[in-house]
Amino acid sequence: MSKKQYQITEIEPMSVEPQSAASSDRWNPNEAFHGTQEEWWDHFHKIEKGNFHSLEEHERDFEAWEKEYLASRLK
């Protein structure tokens, strides 16, 4: 077994800078969201105001899609 020496460099810790109001208006799933508790609650309330579909509706839509998809695969 070789006794290779590895060079280890120190990694500087990252600092978190506060975001401006303009940048926090648009949510990007690829960027970390740092905000106050109030900003989080506002974000959740915006999601809750969106369209709501019950589980039964989704299951019905999925079954219809699945039936159509499988029928198209048999052609």
Side-chain angles (χ1 to χ4, degrees):
M1 183 177 227
S2 68
K3 297 200 181 221
K4 185 173 182 177
Q5 297 268 333
Y6 292 96
Q7 184 178 12
I8 299 173
T9 58
E10 278 193 43
I11 299 173
E12 292 185 28
M14 294 176 53
S15 63
V16 178
E17 299 295 326
Q19 293 182 345
S20 67
S23 66
S24 65
D25 291 342
R26 295 184 50 130
W27 179 71
N28 182 348
N30 298 320
E31 293 179 8
F33 178 76
H34 298 282
T36 64
Q37 183 177 6
E38 184 177 312
E39 289 173 325
W40 276 103
W41 282 115
D42 288 342
H43 178 70
F44 296 144
H45 291 304
K46 285 178 186 175
I47 293 170
E48 290 171 347
K49 288 179 184 175
N51 295 335
F52 175 80
H53 302 283
S54 67
L55 180 60
E56 290 81 15
E57 289 177 286
H58 282 290
E59 288 175 346
R60 186 183 63 237
D61 292 344
F62 177 77
E63 288 173 5
W65 171 84
E66 184 180 33
K67 184 183 281 187
E68 182 181 319
Y69 175 74
L70 293 174
S72 71
R73 299 272 304 194
L74 294 174
K75 292 180 183 180

